[in-house]
C-alpha cells in the first residue's frame, strides 16, 4: 500500500513562507512523478508543481517564481517551498504520486494553508 502524509501547513501572513512536506510510505518512491495540488473552497483543484524522477520540474503560472518543488529520494519525501504567499494561495494542498507504469495515482489527505492578515 502506498500512503502519503503531508505536513507543514498553517496560518501565515501575506508575504510569508511555508514549506510543505509529503512523506511516501513505499521504497519505490524514486520512480514516481510527484506533484502538489491545491483546492480552494468553490474552486477546481489545480496543479501547482510537479517533479519527475530525474528531477525536472513544472509549475503553474500562478505560483511560478514563488514556489519550489523538490524531492529527496533517500527520504522518500517531496517538498513544496512557498515564498511570497498571497491570500489567494489559501487552499488545501495535497500531495500526489503517479505511477506511470501502472497508470495509477496516490493521494495524501491534504494540509490546510491559510494566508491572512
Amino acid at each position: 500500500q502506498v500512503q502519503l502524509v503531508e505536513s507543514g501547513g498553517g496560518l501565515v501572513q501575506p508575504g510569508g513562507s511555508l514549506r510543505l512536506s509529503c512523506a511516501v510510505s513505499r521504497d519505490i518512491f524514486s520512480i514516481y512523478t510527484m506533484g502538489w495540488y491545491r483546492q480552494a473552497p468553490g474552486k477546481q483543484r489545480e496543479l501547482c508543481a510537479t517533479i519527475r524522477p530525474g528531477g525536472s520540474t513544472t509549475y503553474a503560472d500562478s505560483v511560478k517564481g514563488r514556489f519550489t518543488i523538490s524531492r529527496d529520494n533517500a527520504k522518500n519525501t517531496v517538498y513544496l517551498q512557498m515564498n511570497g504567499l498571497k491570500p489567494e494561495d489559501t487552499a488545501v494542498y495535497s500531495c500526489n504520486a503517479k505511477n506511470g507504469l501502472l497508470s495509477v495515482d496516490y493521494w495524501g489527505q491534504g494540509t490546510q494553508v491559510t494566508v491572512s492578515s
Side-chain angles (χ1 to χ4, degrees), residues 7-84:
S7 62
L11 174 65
V12 297
Q13 294 184 335
S17 298
L18 283 174
R19 190 177 78 158
L20 306 183
S21 299
C22 174
V24 181
S25 65
R26 299 290 295 273
D27 59 5
I28 58 173
F29 168 81
S30 62
I31 74 170
Y32 296 150
T33 293
M34 302 297 301
W36 284 99
Y37 294 74
R38 68 185 184 186
Q39 186 169 27
K43 295 184 177 180
Q44 187 177 2
R45 183 171 61 189
E46 65 174 336
L47 175 67
C48 292
T50 65
I51 183 166
R52 295 182 181 273
S56 61
T57 59
T58 64
Y59 295 94
D61 289 341
S62 58
V63 308
K64 195 173 299 181
R66 299 187 297 120
F67 291 9
T68 302
I69 189 171
S70 61
R71 67 192 298 159
D72 186 336
N73 289 336
K75 297 181 178 180
N76 291 357
T77 301
V78 64
Y79 306 94
L80 186 68
Q81 179 67 47
M82 303 183 294
N83 299 324

